[in-house]
Amino acid sequence: MRILILSDIHANLAALEAVLESAGEYDAVWCLGDLVGYGPNPNECIECVRSLPNLICLVGNHDKAVLGDLDVNTFNNDARYALLWTRDTLKPQNIAYLHSLSPITEIEAFTLAHASPRQPVWEYILNRLIASENFGYFTTPYCLVGHTHVPVIYQESDLVGDCLEYLPNYESPLVLNSERLIINPGSVGQPRDANPHAAYALLNLETRTWQYRRAIYDIDRTQRQMRARNFPERLILRIAQGW
């Protein structure tokens, strides 16, 4: 089975469409949350994701904030603007769909969490220390997370308070063997690894391989839509530079 792994779409329809075109054939989709926030197409992105085959979808912190489950005042000014605009824009059926989602689940040999297995909605796994502390919070061999918008792999180590860290290899698939891993596919809609191309991954359960992928998309299209909705200029500029 070939599974398309998505995370942090953030209402960027142009990026999502480019990923779906780039991915080729797949049998199922695992989406790690944050369908909305930051971007100009929340309804379209939710409806597109909901139409994908054999979907497992999580809720993210921006999704939760739009629903009123998180205080929008804990977000920075730019993010808060987009969240409040999204809250006023979402259709009732799409609000109901976000309400139906969980921030963490297990399937096959994988734990899926939006942020981390320890704090599924909010914690950022930004370094080896935080990653090492999280290995004790899931029992499956592998955990997939999003939230940081940065593709990375952490491998469990015997060293207390530490683990191994690997950057994505876009040329060769990662073979999933006996090591326990925390894997982040990066962000579809707002990458933050100095690469503006939409990030995603393909997981093959038969060959037990993970393949990092990037998709070039029409960033100008998304920026024009954001400007038409009076989004903060910082949000508009950052998607072109990947920060």
Side-chain angles (χ1 to χ4, degrees), residues 7-219:
S7 191
D8 298 280
I9 296 166
H10 283 299
N12 189 337
L13 184 63
L16 176 58
E17 290 176 340
V19 164
L20 296 178
E21 182 177 354
S22 167
E25 295 183 0
Y26 47 88
D27 304 295
V29 177
W30 297 351
C31 179
L32 304 179
D34 272 356
L35 280 72
V36 303
Y38 293 131
N41 305 115
N43 286 302
E44 295 88 342
C45 285
I46 293 174
E47 290 159 8
C48 180
V49 168
R50 291 185 69 179
S51 71
L52 298 175
N54 299 311
L55 173 68
I56 294 176
C57 188
L58 304 182
V59 69
N61 59 306
H62 283 254
D63 306 324
K64 283 279 195 183
V66 164
L67 297 174
D69 295 339
L70 291 178
D71 185 356
V72 296
N73 292 311
T74 61
F75 292 77
N76 64 54
N77 290 338
D78 294 340
R80 184 164 59 249
Y81 177 94
L83 288 169
L84 293 174
W85 177 86
T86 302
R87 185 179 290 178
D88 291 338
T89 302
L90 278 183
K91 299 176 183 178
Q93 61 268 33
N94 292 330
I95 294 174
Y97 179 70
L98 293 181
H99 271 298
S100 74
L101 304 178
S102 168
I104 189 167
T105 192
E106 289 185 15
I107 181 170
E108 303 286 342
F110 297 83
T111 296
L112 313 183
H114 172 65
S116 77
R118 178 168 59 181
Q119 297 178 16
V121 173
W122 196 259
E123 181 178 34
Y124 289 88
I125 301 181
L126 292 169
N127 54 51
R128 297 200 310 269
L129 173 60
I130 299 172
S132 67
E133 293 172 346
N134 268 276
F135 278 102
Y137 288 84
F138 65 98
T139 58
T140 57
Y142 314 109
C143 180
L144 308 185
V145 300
H147 193 47
T148 68
H149 300 206
V150 177
V152 67
I153 300 166
Y154 296 102
Q155 179 182 320
E156 189 175 34
S157 167
D158 293 334
L159 297 174
V160 177
D162 201 0
C163 62
L164 303 177
E165 179 179 352
Y166 302 100
L167 296 178
N169 183 339
Y170 294 100
E171 303 301 323
S172 302
L174 169 71
V175 178
L176 303 178
N177 44 40
S178 59
E179 290 87 2
R180 296 186 76 223
L181 303 174
I182 296 173
I183 311 176
N184 191 321
S187 170
V188 171
Q190 194 199 76
R192 295 179 185 169
D193 60 340
N195 181 344
H197 304 326
Y200 69 103
L202 291 167
L203 170 64
N204 192 316
L205 293 181
E206 294 178 2
T207 61
R208 298 184 69 80
T209 55
W210 172 278
Q211 178 68 68
Y212 276 107
R213 301 282 294 271
R214 301 304 278 249
I216 298 173
Y217 75 97
D218 187 351
I219 294 173

